Amino acid sequence: MNAKESAKIERNLCVLFADVSGSTRLYEKLGDKEALHAVERCLNRMTRATEQFKGRVIKTIGDEVMAVFDSAEAGMDAACSMQQRVDDLPPVSGIKLAIRIGFHFGPAIEDAKDVFGDTVNTAARMAGLAKAGQIITTGETVGALPTLLQQSTREIDALSVKGKAEDVRVCEVIWQESDDLTMKSGSVAPAPVAARLTVRHGGEEKVLDPGHGAFSLGRDAASDIMIADRRASRTHARIERRRDKFVLIDQSTNGTYVTFDGEAEFALKREEVILRGKGRISFGHACDATSEVVEFRVG
């Protein structure tokens, strides 16, 4: 076993995803500066709730937080605290801020500062099912909770999940008692899903949609999109779908350069960005007249 392999640890963790509901509308209604400030206030409150229950923020990207906890109980307590903290925020220019949360407890692989595995995927799936102001988890996670906390949940659905032989029981955490909460609807409505991401490279066009989970980009011949530029890494970047978002992840030595239409170019160095609208990507250097680029369009 080499040092890299020994750094990987598998243990039971509670993985939680939380994001700001309707953030696209916020940017449209409030403008970039005010909307960004509103989203940051939500992210700060979600981070403080994570720390309150001894959790760890793995990453924040855009309007989303991914966090882990040592127990299902800590994950549920943090989720309820996040909802309450954000619910306490005053409306911004008449718009009430809200978040949606999903979490799942099970075996996960810790590698450096990141977490991987089926538990992560299941938690992300639960978050994708949640509506504004709602917390969604699995029946398996509810079974790992203390009896008293189990009484604050209810089963609302069972879903077929790819790779699992049995349906996953979907449960809702009742964090606030109120007759008019949308979470009392008795059903789970899937989150709005961006239609697709279209990428164009060298005259070829590829589409990332619900049937395709990710694209790899790089000089390696096995890449989904093969880049010839020698300044690109063999395994340079990935574009993956995360619920209703498309995320570009730099894995390179020299960086990935991104330009959204009408905005200044910026570099990713082992970082991630949510792709939006239209734009272009270049590999290992800033874009110029001779650059090999990948063009993208979301929608």
Side-chain angles (χ1 to χ4, degrees), residues 215-236:
F215 285 152
S216 57
L217 306 93
R219 288 193 294 108
D220 195 301
S223 300
D224 296 309
I225 300 173
M226 188 175 171
I227 307 300
D229 194 322
R230 299 302 298 176
R231 286 168 287 189
S233 298
R234 292 183 63 82
T235 305
H236 193 98

Side-chain angles (χ1 to χ4, degrees), residues 58-257:
I58 297 296
K59 64 183 75 172
T60 60
I61 175 168
D63 62 357
E64 180 179 75
V65 166
M66 175 188 175
V68 295
F69 303 85
D70 288 334
S71 68
E73 179 179 3
M76 177 169 163
D77 286 340
C80 293
S81 178
M82 288 179 187
Q83 288 288 10
Q84 191 61 62
R85 286 168 182 261
V86 173
D87 189 59
D88 288 344
L89 287 170
V92 180
S93 297
I95 299 176
K96 179 64 177 170
L97 299 172
I99 59 174
R100 54 181 187 163
I101 302 174
F103 67 96
H104 178 64
F105 180 74
I109 298 170
E110 288 185 291
D111 185 6
K113 295 182 179 181
D114 214 341
V115 179
F116 305 91
D118 183 63
T119 292
V120 177
N121 297 335
T122 302
R125 179 74 186 274
M126 295 303 105
L129 295 172
K131 293 177 285 188
Q134 196 172 31
I135 303 170
I136 296 294
T137 189
T138 61
E140 185 179 351
T141 301
V142 170
L145 291 169
T147 304
L148 189 61
L149 286 184
Q150 290 183 21
Q151 296 172 8
S152 295
T153 69
R154 63 187 182 119
E155 186 169 344
I156 53 177
D157 211 343
L159 298 177
S160 174
V161 175
K162 184 178 179 181
K164 293 184 179 291
E166 298 181 1
D167 286 353
V168 173
R169 290 163 48 224
V170 178
C171 299
E172 177 184 16
V173 173
I174 308 301
W175 63 274
Q176 184 182 50
E177 294 298 334
S178 174
D179 292 336
D180 60 357
L181 285 180
T182 56
M183 69 179 68
K184 296 272 189 180
S185 63
S187 64
V188 173
V193 175
R196 62 182 190 173
L197 170 78
T198 304
V199 295
R200 183 171 296 168
H201 172 255
E204 288 190 45
E205 193 170 273
K206 294 179 180 287
V207 174
L208 194 61
D209 57 23
H212 302 82
F215 285 152
S216 57
L217 306 93
R219 288 193 294 108
D220 195 301
S223 300
D224 296 309
I225 300 173
M226 188 175 171
I227 307 300
D229 194 322
R230 299 302 298 176
R231 286 168 287 189
S233 298
R234 292 183 63 82
T235 305
H236 193 98
R238 283 170 55 81
I239 300 175
E240 63 181 45
R241 187 186 189 102
R242 294 184 188 165
R243 304 198 306 277
D244 56 343
K245 301 179 179 71
F246 297 99
V247 181
L248 172 64
I249 306 156
D250 175 67
Q251 302 169 306
S252 70
T253 301
N254 296 324
T256 302
Y257 290 74

